[in-house]
Every structure is written in structure tokens, then in C-alpha cells.
Amino acid sequence: MTALVQAAVRTTCPYCGVGCGVLATPDGQGGAAIAGDAGHPANLGRLCSKGAALGETLDLDGRLLEPLIDGAPVGWDAALDAVADSLHSTLAQHGPQAVAFYVSGQLLNEDYYVANKLMKGFIGANNIDTNSRLCMASTVAGHVRAFGADTVPGCYEDLELADLLLLVGSNTAWCHPVLFQRIRAAKQARPGLRVVVIDPRRTPTCDIADLHLPLAPGSDVALFNGLLAALADRGVVDKAYVAAHVEGFDAALAQARAQAPDAAAVVAACDLPVDDVARLYDWFASTERVVTVFSQGVNQSAAGTDKVNALINCHLATGRIGRPGMGPLSFTGQPNAMGGREVGGLASTLACHLDYADAGHRALVQDFWGGGPISALPGLKAVDLFEAIEAGQVRWLWIMGTNPLVSLPQADRFRAALAKCQRVIVSDCVRDTDTTAFAHILLPALAWGEKSGTVTNSERRISRQRPFLPPPGRARADWWALASVAQRLGFSGFEYASEADVFDEYARLSALAGAAGRDFDIGGLAGLGRTGYDALEPVQWPVPATGAGTARVFGDGRFYTPSGRARMLACASRLPGTAPDADYPLILNTGRVRDHWHTLTRTGKSARLSGHIAEPRLDVHPTDAARLGLGDGGFADVESRHGRLVTRVAVDAGLRVGEVFLPMHWGRAFASTGPADALVDSVRDPVSGQPQFKLTPVRVAPAALPWRALLLSRVVLAPTGVDYYARARIAGGWRYRIAARQAPADAAAWLSALVGTPAGDWQWLDYADPTGEQRVLAVTGERAQVALFAGDDLDWLADDWLTARFDAPLDAAARRALLAGVPGVAGADPGRTVCACFQVGINTLVRAIAEQGLDSPHAIGAALKAGTNCGSCVPELRQILAAAGQAA
């Protein structure tokens, strides 16, 4: 395989919504060297651990490389004919409401645009929704209610210009590490910058916090209602600004005062120390330049939209919006969730921030597209859509670039629903996921590095994703597959020669939206042609035909409501949709870990990203762990009203008592636990339709799994007859951590049955001792194929040293050393990875701190490089220093 070009290609990272610029230099062998793009304004050359490891995720292992119908390979024409024929048949028999698309923030704007146009403009239903519904929908709804449009007021520069920064429901250090580093650098340059973290958990983000408010889950509205009342009581409201540019102030303030008549009411609702609440209110009242960052902890709630509006209310009341260093700023979860919101990928929007509930907007889009009548009926939002599949109302579904059977709430319920759907089409770049298993037709999509198009980041900045690798196998662009189906159905207007043509049409439609008084206008990017499109530099919209990009909006006090004024909303704090009780007394919170992303289909391919947290784990406060009989590193049985799983336990004092945390990344493809979201209730925000992933009642009990095993394998295996396993990528293969209530009668025989009949001659080495411990190694030549260490006590095992040695050549002495399970040389075991960027382990750090007297993250960085790249491990470095009795 040869690469398209050998020079560095400027592209954009495919992970979170920061939208970092990346320089990818193809190696001519299907891979590429990765570096940050110093010329991109989002990251200025920085990359997080995930972005820095992108080069390790470009291999074709596990890729879907040809179309499949019922598991059988077919050509594209046959596959597209089957898609079009089944869609036509469903429309003829059941009408457009029986058809739906479920798409993704991984799609490019061009893919999103064609999907949206086909569904809303030609199929005649609004049943296209996106996995962004699960992460950002409450922000969209809050923006629309407050501003009249889903407009992000500020930009990343405001993080560095603010004097007070609130981080609400955002573990920025792990989920948006590059922005966290910008904040850390700003604080170092200006020590007067205050940072307040508002989050039930003490996360690594608190490493830079001047104040941490571990509020009770779901109490954000009460906290910000109290702040609004305090601002009014202290005379900080900008009355002139409110009079000229805001409506709804009196009602919002009245509701706030009813909810928070005094500090005691806020303290009771939020379960916070009174002095800490007073300090927050004092700082906000006395600081002009305030930025309030918010993310999933705000959005993923049954009251998410009210949370968004409650915090926006405080900025509107003080006029702190649209100017440098102030305003609300949402940190987006996916690389193109923003683009999907702009293009119309949500069931609740039309296109270019036009509203399908407005007859004039529908007519504008209908005339431009030249299709049939655009429905005024609301489309089905994500959970509603899968409930409609469950009820037999939606019979035909096209899923693109997402894995909903891991990420949806009540995932097992909707797994059963999808199994009953009459026709499921999945476009993906990965062959085997929890979701592709249910596809009747699988279409091979391009992946990052092969795709070409645009994405929009959290500060409204549109950037190019450029290809630097050739399309593998028969993989094709999603926009092309969608357009091909549309043409087979006889629809005109889908004859695009390239993604540049799609973008041009999108830009021209946005110009009409701008002329109609909407915020989203990139008309200045229309008519670029292929050359201009390929050369497009990152730019923040609006980009009208008469101007350049726009860093901030609303500085002139003009909004997109009918009155032109911003709206303050009367937000009432209310009880969550489900609350803990005697049967389910704990609150489950779900979210991300530092080095992984979504459902592991990309980060799960990287050995270094799998070294920090290699398996799912339930974080539990020490008080709860002691009461429940849970041990650190042991196992727990976790059950909600919707599901049950067994997972590892990690004791974490950063949680509130009575609350537990479980990461959402692991599905059945990577762990026996199945998806954490199978436990999560499907209760959702009544305005946005976003599910409440942060508050599900559960009960937890210890799970006795005395038999433990470490299995290393060149190939993916499916352990049977055990109660728990999780696999993680290592150099040359996979590491499985396994546990069971009952040990196999013979571990060697169990392994042999698991592996099956291997290709080639394997030499087996087997050792068993009287305690029941067994060690098995199979080699071909000097290459290990599988290695198993099993028994009731494996605490002595040098797990990370073994995984590092697995891919090394093995002569007779090396085989004996590997079977020993521990290095013969002191200090050879690095331990669990702490710094993914430079592969520095916990044992290496502890030894260096003791031997070299390292007393700060800076000293560690100078000695070992740890913490000097993305910096997301710095909070953990401080914890290690503290545990070692050193200053941090």
C-alpha cells in the first residue's frame, strides 16, 4: 500500500469538540507520523494523549472493507440497490414515518448535509437524529430558548482573558485536555485568574481549582438560581443592559427568589458548605470578566435545559456576554457535534439553524432543495426513535458512524428492539461492534485519514479534515453512499461530483438562512471551487458574503428571537426523574476516562492508550466500600432497574458518599460487563430529549470471584465459562484480565479449547503447582502466541512487565523468564501506565521520586518527561508525590 502523498497533511483530530489541528505525515506503508499543528488556532500545536496516539490507530485490523448483505460480501451496486429497494418498499407500504436515520457527531458536515437533505427534503419525514442528542441536546435547547438560535457566544481566547472561570459539570482535564492546558497556562501567567470547579466528583480538573463545589447531583439549577438572586440583592444586575436587550428578567428573578430565598435554602438543596457558596457568589458578583464553561454534567440530565438556562440567566442579568473574557461556553463532546447541529442533523432542527416549525423556513429550504413538502411534524429524538422501533412504528433504520447499543440508555432493552427491526443498514468503518451484529446490510465507510470534508468545533470554527491515506478495500464516503441511494430512488439534486460540491451547496443555503435573519451564515465560503475548498483555513462562523469570520457574537446586544432580545427563563429546580430508594440506594454517574473515547473502536486499537485504565471499573467512596464490603481491585455486582453487570472496583475518595461512577466505553466487544449504559434509566429532559446519564439509582454488592487469570494472546479471543473479562490492546496482541467464581478444572485444557486448532506448530509449556496455580505458554519459533497465568492469587504477578515482554523474541531463557511472571532484574517492571504520551509507569515514578528526590511535576517532567506533552497526567503526578510524602 502506498500513501497518497508523503508530505505532511494539515487535518483535524477526530476525537472531542476542541477541534485540534493535526499534521499527518504518511509513511508510505499505510501509517503516518502525527504531530500537533502549531498553525491551528484551536490547539496551537498541542495534542492530548489520544490525539498524539492517532498514528497507532490507522491499521486495517477489524476494518469493514466491503459491503455485506446478511454477512455475505457483495459489490456496491448490489448493496445500494438493496438499500434503495428496501427503503422504497417501506415507504410504499408504511409511509415516511416508518423510516429513520440515526447518525453521528463523527460524520463530516458534507455527510450530515446529504443525510439531512435526503430525509427531510425528499423522504418527507424529520426522523433523522444523532448521537449528539445524548451529549449536547440540552445546550442546543438552552441556547435556542435564550438566544433564539443555537449560537455559541464566545471563543477559546475567552478562557485566557477571563478573571473568573467556572467549570460546571466538566472534567476538562480528561475530556478536553488541550483546553485544560490553555487554562492552566493562563493561570500560571496570571495567578489572579480564579477557577471554580462545580462537579459532584473531585476530578483531576480540580488540580487547578481555587474552589471546588461538590454539589448534590441535579442541584445545579438551585445553585444558579441562588446566584441570580444574590446578584440582584447585591445590585450587580446591569439594569440598562437588561432594559435594552433582555426579556423575562422579572419572572426569572421571581422564580429564583422563590427557590432560593436565602443562602440556607441553596446550601440545603446543593448539600454544600455555606462559606463555599458565599465565596462563589462573592467572586461572581465582584468580577466583570467571567466565563462559565459547561459540559456533560449539565447536559446529561432530566433538567439539562433548565440548567443551561439558569447559568445563562446570570450572564444576561449582568450583561457579561459577547465581550472578551466573558459569557457561557459549552465544551462539545464530539469532533462534529457542532456541525451536525448547524447542518440540521437533529430531529428538532431543519437546516442551517432554520426551524421546521416555521412555514416560511420550510418553504425556503423546500424551494432550494427542490424536493417534496417538508413535514412540520417533529422528528423522533434518539430514545424516542428506538422506542418507536420497539413498538414496530419505525421499520427501516440506517445507522451511520455510531454504536448505539453501547451508548444508549437502557442499552439492552434497545438491543432487543433493534433485533426486531425489519431492515437495519449500518455504515461503519469497523466490522464487529455491538451494533453491526444486527445489520442486515453493512456498508464500508471511510475512516479518519481517508475522509475529506469539514468539521465545526466548540467555538464555531470550521476546519478541514483532509485525507492522507488511500481508501482501503471498497470503503467509500458516507455522503456518496447517501447520494447514490437518493439517485436510485429517482430524486434529483444529488448529483455531486465531490464533497466540495456538497459544501458549496451547504454554504449557499446558509446564505439564504442569513438573509432570513438566522445566525448561521457561511455564504462567504460559497463558490470556493475545488482549489479554494482544499486550501480552506480554519474559520469561525458567521462568515457572511460581506465579511470574514467572527470570534464573538451578541456583543451588539442583538439576538435571534422575534423581539431581538435575549430571553431569561424562569427555571425551577425539580427532583430527578428517578431517585434513590431503599432498594436502589446509590446514585450511578457515568462518563469518560482519560485515554479512551466513545466505544473503543479507535482508542481500543492503541496499546499506550489502553495502559492507564485498561478495564471498566466502578469508582466507590471509601466509606461506601467499607460498608458494602468492597475492596480496591475486587469485584462488584451492580444492578439498576434496567440491567445488571459485574465489574472491577476502584476505591476513590473523590466521590461523594452514596455515589458511584462507571465509565461508558466498554461494550460487549471489549468486556463481559457489556455497556454501562444498560444500567442507565431512559428518563430524559422534557425540552431537549436528552437522557439522564448522570443519575441512575443502583444497588451494589461484592462479587466473589476468587479465580483470576491473566491471558495474553496474539488474536482476539472470547473467554467462556467465566464471570468477568476485559481485553485491552498491548504490543503484538491483547491482554485479558479474567475472573470467575469457579476455576476451570484444568486451566491449560480451558485455554486449549478457547484457542482451538491453531495454524502451524505450537510448542506448549505448562507449569502447575500444588496450590492450583497454572502457567501456560505457547510459542512458534521465538514468538509467543498465548500466555496464561491463573490462580486464586495473582497479586505477585508483574502484569505490565509481562505485557511488554510478550512481543519480544523468546529464546529458551526468555521463555523461562516469561513463565516466571516477574522480572529477574529489580526495577524492570514499570507498573501501570500513568503518562500515556511517554509511557511512564507508576513503579518508575515512585522509584524515581524516592531515588532522585523529585518533589514536583516539573521535576518529574525534567527527569522522565512525564506530564510534559498533553499534561493530562499532571494531577495524578501530584497524587503520587503526595502519597510519597513529597511536595506537589
Side-chain angles (χ1 to χ4, degrees):
M1 179 184 292
T2 59
L4 293 176
V5 290
Q6 299 301 314
V9 175
R10 296 183 68 199
T11 185
T12 309
C13 181
Y15 289 123
C16 75
V18 176
C20 293
V22 172
L23 295 177
T25 305
D27 61 11
Q29 305 298 317
I34 300 297
D37 182 356
H40 197 291
N43 61 314
L44 305 174
R46 300 180 183 93
L47 289 178
C48 72
S49 59
K50 294 185 288 292
L54 277 167
E56 300 170 22
T57 69
L58 300 174
D59 64 75
L60 300 183
D61 288 351
R63 284 291 299 273
L64 176 63
L65 297 175
E66 58 187 341
L68 303 174
I69 297 180
D70 295 327
V74 297
W76 267 106
D77 283 339
L80 293 170
D81 287 347
V83 174
D85 290 348
S86 64
L87 175 53
H88 181 270
S89 175
T90 304
L91 290 171
Q93 294 180 50
H94 305 288
Q97 298 302 328
V99 170
F101 292 167
Y102 188 67
V103 295
S104 166
Q106 307 296 303
L107 297 185
L108 305 184
N109 287 321
E110 293 75 7
D111 305 319
Y112 257 130
Y113 180 83
V114 178
N116 191 52
K117 177 180 177 179
L118 175 57
M119 175 56 74
K120 292 174 182 169
F122 288 82
I123 290 174
N126 291 317
N127 293 338
I128 174 172
D129 210 44
T130 167
N131 61 5
S132 301
R133 178 72 57 188
L134 309 181
C135 62
M136 300 310 302
S138 292
T139 292
V140 175
H143 283 168
V144 171
R145 292 205 302 184
F147 308 141
D150 178 21
T151 315
V152 175
C155 59
Y156 296 160
E157 184 186 39
D158 293 327
L159 300 172
E160 295 152 335
L161 297 177
D163 295 316
L164 175 62
L165 184 61
L166 310 187
L167 299 174
V168 189
S170 171
N171 185 8
T172 315
W174 279 16
C175 299
H176 301 92
V178 168
L179 294 183
F180 181 75
Q181 292 311 309
R182 289 185 69 162
I183 297 167
R184 182 192 291 279
K187 190 166 175 58
Q188 289 171 343
R190 293 192 300 114
L193 167 61
R194 289 168 170 157
V195 176
V196 179
V197 173
I198 302 173
D199 194 310
R201 294 193 299 151
R202 185 169 186 84
T203 69
T205 302
C206 294
D207 188 56
I208 60 169
D210 298 283
L211 176 64
H212 173 219
L213 297 180
L215 77 176
S219 64
D220 309 63
V221 172
L223 182 68
F224 283 96
N225 273 348
L227 175 58
L228 179 60
L231 295 172
D233 292 342
R234 300 178 194 200
V236 183
V237 171
D238 187 335
K239 295 180 180 179
Y241 183 87
V242 169
H245 304 299
V246 178
E247 58 191 25
F249 172 81
D250 290 340
L253 180 58
Q255 178 63 61
R257 283 184 165 148
Q259 168 116 50
D262 51 37
V266 175
V267 166
C270 300
D271 190 24
L272 291 171
V274 63
D275 290 345
D276 288 349
V277 173
R279 185 173 296 111
L280 168 67
Y281 291 1
D282 287 344
W283 287 355
F284 197 107
S286 61
T287 308
E288 175 74 2
R289 291 193 171 198
V290 181
V291 170
T292 303
V293 169
F294 59 99
S295 196
Q296 312 298 33
V298 169
N299 289 302
Q300 292 179 330
S301 166
T305 306
D306 280 348
K307 291 182 181 183
V308 172
N309 286 116
L311 65 87
I312 289 176
N313 282 349
C314 298
H315 283 273
L316 292 175
T318 53
R320 298 171 184 169
I321 190 169
R323 292 181 285 151
M326 60 186 74
L329 180 60
S330 163
F331 280 1
T332 314
Q334 295 190 81
N336 203 33
M338 281 284 288
R341 289 150 60 175
E342 296 150 12
V343 83
L346 290 165
S348 45
T349 61
L350 180 48
C352 299
H353 287 187
L354 295 163
D355 185 358
Y356 63 75
D358 185 310
H361 289 182
R362 293 198 309 274
L364 183 156
V365 178
Q366 182 178 323
D367 291 346
F368 181 82
W369 281 343
I374 292 175
S375 174
L377 294 175
L380 292 168
K381 300 169 184 174
V383 178
D384 303 318
L385 167 57
F386 280 84
E387 287 181 342
I389 294 170
E390 183 179 52
Q393 297 164 356
V394 168
R395 300 165 179 266
W396 191 99
L397 177 66
W398 193 344
I399 299 170
M400 303 174 207
T402 186
N403 194 5
L405 296 190
V406 177
S407 57
L408 282 170
Q410 294 189 29
D412 287 348
R413 170 191 174 192
F414 295 125
R415 179 185 179 88
L418 194 63
K420 298 188 297 183
C421 190
Q422 289 184 1
R423 183 64 59 178
V424 178
I425 296 92
V426 177
S427 296
D428 210 317
C429 59
V430 179
R431 173 62 181 87
D432 296 313
T433 72
D434 290 45
T435 301
T436 58
F438 292 87
H440 302 103
I441 303 173
L442 274 172
L443 302 178
L446 298 177
W448 183 81
E450 304 149 10
K451 293 201 275 190
S452 177
T454 56
V455 293
T456 311
N457 75 355
S458 294
E459 60 171 352
R460 293 174 283 103
R461 191 178 298 279
I462 298 172
S463 299
R464 285 280 277 116
Q465 266 196 23
R466 296 181 174 94
F468 54 88
L469 296 173
R474 296 182 176 181
R476 297 295 299 268
D478 290 306
W479 68 262
W480 175 86
L482 287 154
S484 299
V485 169
Q487 291 177 72
R488 279 168 166 76
L489 292 169
F491 299 146
S492 62
F494 292 87
E495 301 78 21
Y496 304 109
S498 72
E499 67 278 8
D501 291 348
V502 179
F503 184 82
D504 182 71
E505 181 178 308
Y506 176 39
R508 288 187 286 112
L509 176 57
S510 80
L512 296 179
R518 302 307 293 158
D519 62 329
F520 183 74
D521 182 354
I522 57 170
L525 303 180
L528 292 176
R530 183 76 229 191
T531 301
Y533 178 77
D534 286 341
L536 180 64
E537 290 291 316
V539 61
Q540 288 173 280
W541 65 261
V543 193
T546 56
T550 309
R552 298 174 185 85
V553 293
F554 305 142
D556 58 3
R558 291 186 294 176
F559 297 86
Y560 294 97
T561 61
S563 68
R565 294 168 175 262
R567 302 187 192 103
M568 289 179 62
L569 278 294
C571 301
S573 185
R574 58 182 184 273
L575 293 174
T578 53
D581 57 23
D583 290 330
Y584 299 92
L586 301 174
I587 291 175
L588 171 68
N589 182 1
T590 63
R592 296 177 179 170
V593 298
R594 190 188 76 189
D595 294 338
H596 276 312
W597 172 253
H598 280 198
T599 63
L600 302 181
T601 52
R602 179 177 295 280
T603 56
K605 296 166 75 76
S606 167
R608 65 164 146 161
L609 295 181
S610 300
H612 182 239
I613 296 178
E615 58 188 317
R617 66 184 200 187
L618 185 77
D619 293 346
V620 184
H621 189 276
T623 299
D624 290 320
R627 178 175 56 83
L628 296 169
L630 301 173
D632 192 55
F635 290 90
D637 191 313
V638 189
E639 185 177 4
S640 76
R641 291 181 175 86
H642 313 289
R644 176 181 171 273
L645 56 81
V646 173
T647 190
R648 187 81 70 175
V649 170
V651 177
D652 182 359
L655 287 140
R656 290 165 49 95
V657 175
E659 298 169 20
V660 295
F661 177 86
L662 189 63
M664 53 78 66
H665 307 288
W666 283 265
R668 286 178 173 81
F670 282 87
S672 60
T673 58
D677 288 336
L679 301 172
V680 173
D681 200 335
S682 63
V683 63
R684 43 215 185 261
D685 183 282
V687 181
S688 70
Q690 183 158 357
Q692 181 165 272
F693 288 99
K694 302 294 187 183
L695 202 164
T696 297
V698 296
R699 57 189 175 209
V700 177
L705 306 182
W707 186 76
R708 310 289 173 87
L710 171 69
L711 170 62
L712 308 178
S713 172
R714 291 281 173 194
V715 299
V716 173
L717 301 171
T720 57
V722 297
D723 297 285
Y724 172 87
Y725 73 84
R727 71 177 168 101
R729 189 70 175 172
I730 60 172
W734 300 91
R735 170 173 58 190
Y736 291 79
R737 288 175 175 154
I738 300 170
R741 292 180 171 85
Q742 182 71 39
D746 184 330
W750 173 83
L751 177 61
S752 178
L754 181 63
V755 171
T757 303
D761 294 327
W762 285 19
Q763 181 181 357
W764 292 83
L765 293 82
D766 184 3
Y767 166 80
D769 68 17
T771 67
E773 177 193 306
Q774 285 188 270
R775 309 176 201 181
V776 182
L777 174 65
V779 298
T780 53
E782 292 191 342
R783 187 176 175 86
Q785 296 297 328
V786 293
L788 176 71
F789 300 81
D792 289 347
D793 178 12
L794 296 183
D795 290 344
W796 57 271
L797 200 64
D799 185 320
D800 295 280
W801 175 80
L802 281 168
T803 59
R805 295 291 302 160
F806 181 69
D807 199 34
L810 297 178
D811 58 17
R815 295 178 192 181
R816 290 191 296 271
L818 189 70
L819 275 175
V822 292
V825 179
D829 179 16
R832 176 186 58 82
T833 299
V834 175
C835 174
C837 296
F838 294 107
Q839 292 290 273
V840 183
I842 180 71
N843 294 346
T844 303
L845 286 162
V846 170
R847 186 169 58 252
I849 290 168
E851 294 176 356
Q852 301 177 42
L854 307 179
D855 61 359
S856 69
H858 178 77
I860 290 174
L864 301 173
K865 292 188 176 181
T868 61
N869 184 41
C870 78
S872 58
C873 67
V874 170
E876 190 169 356
L877 297 181
R878 292 190 196 280
Q879 294 174 1
I880 295 167
L881 285 164
Q886 297 286 352

